[in-house]
């Protein structure tokens, strides 16, 4: 049996997921590259810094900066000077982001349903467990 590599399959699944999410989020001015992940974290933790986002989401600093800038231009995030560190800014969700939050959750839930549409609930839970095991293995 010809078995495809795990890395190739994960990469392909990731690209397909990003493409689908991009189409679902484009009408709201949210692009690909994990912008929704940054927005989620700013909504959940108002006052978070870019540095904290970079570390927690495991993106590089340039990706974080680009995503935050785009979310700011789209009206979802605002930066405020950090009173404890003049070189740093704290990130806050705007009213637009807070109002969009339920819709974003619905889009992400719909995307997860599409990803798992051919799996049984047992297979879905097993896949989640296996992927978590792979992801956290190198921590």
């Amino acid at each position: 049996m010809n078995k495809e590599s795990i890395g190739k399959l994960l990469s392909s699944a990731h690209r397909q997921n990003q493409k689908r999410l991009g189409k679902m989020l484009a009408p709201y001015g949210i692009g690909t590259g994990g912008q929704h992940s940054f927005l989620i974290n700013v909504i959940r933790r108002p006052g978070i810094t870019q540095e904290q986002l970079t570390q927690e989401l495991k993106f590089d600093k340039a990706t974080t900066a680009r995503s935050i800038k785009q979310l700011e231009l789209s009206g979802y995030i605002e930066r405020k000077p950090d009173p404890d560190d003049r070189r740093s800014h704290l990130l806050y969700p705007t009213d637009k982001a807070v109002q969009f939050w339920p819709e974003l959750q619905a889009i992400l839930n719909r995307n997860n349903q599409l990803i798992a549409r051919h799996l049984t609930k047992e297979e879905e839970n097993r896949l989640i467990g296996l992927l978590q095991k792979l992801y956290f293995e190198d921590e």
Side-chain angles (χ1 to χ4, degrees):
M1 178 167 128
N2 185 12
K3 217 164 101 173
E4 290 191 65
S5 78
I6 294 170
K8 181 179 177 185
L9 291 170
L10 286 172
S11 178
S12 179
H14 175 71
R15 280 193 312 275
Q16 184 179 6
N17 181 57
Q18 289 301 302
K19 185 177 178 182
R20 181 176 41 250
L21 262 178
K23 286 181 183 177
M24 295 169 93
L25 293 171
Y28 303 96
I30 298 174
T32 57
Q35 283 185 19
H36 67 284
S37 297
F38 292 104
L39 181 57
I40 289 167
N41 279 274
V42 172
I43 291 171
R44 287 183 178 159
R45 293 188 49 209
I48 193 170
T49 66
Q50 275 188 216
E51 182 64 32
Q52 289 170 315
L53 282 174
T54 297
Q55 291 173 358
E56 291 176 19
L57 294 176
K58 299 182 182 0
F59 281 94
D60 60 70
K61 288 181 180 186
T63 299
T64 302
R66 278 191 306 273
S67 293
I68 295 304
K69 182 175 180 145
Q70 184 56 49
L71 288 167
E72 189 177 23
L73 290 171
S74 297
Y76 290 104
I77 290 178
E78 61 183 341
R79 297 175 205 240
K80 294 183 180 177
D82 184 342
D84 298 326
D85 182 355
R86 294 173 58 194
R87 297 167 295 153
S88 183
H89 286 85
L90 305 177
L91 306 173
Y92 292 91
T94 61
D95 288 340
K96 178 180 179 178
V98 173
Q99 291 173 6
F100 178 59
W101 177 237
E103 183 68 21
L104 178 58
Q105 289 177 306
I107 289 168
L108 296 174
N109 288 339
R110 176 69 180 134
N111 186 55
N112 282 331
Q113 291 170 351
L114 289 170
I115 290 169
R117 69 188 176 278
H118 300 298
L119 302 176
T120 65
K121 198 61 174 165
E122 181 182 314
E123 289 171 329
E124 181 181 348
N125 289 335
R126 188 166 171 224
L127 177 60
I128 289 168
L130 291 169
L131 289 171
Q132 287 174 334
K133 190 174 181 179
L134 285 176
Y135 180 73
F136 293 112
E137 191 172 281
D138 291 337
E139 295 287 312

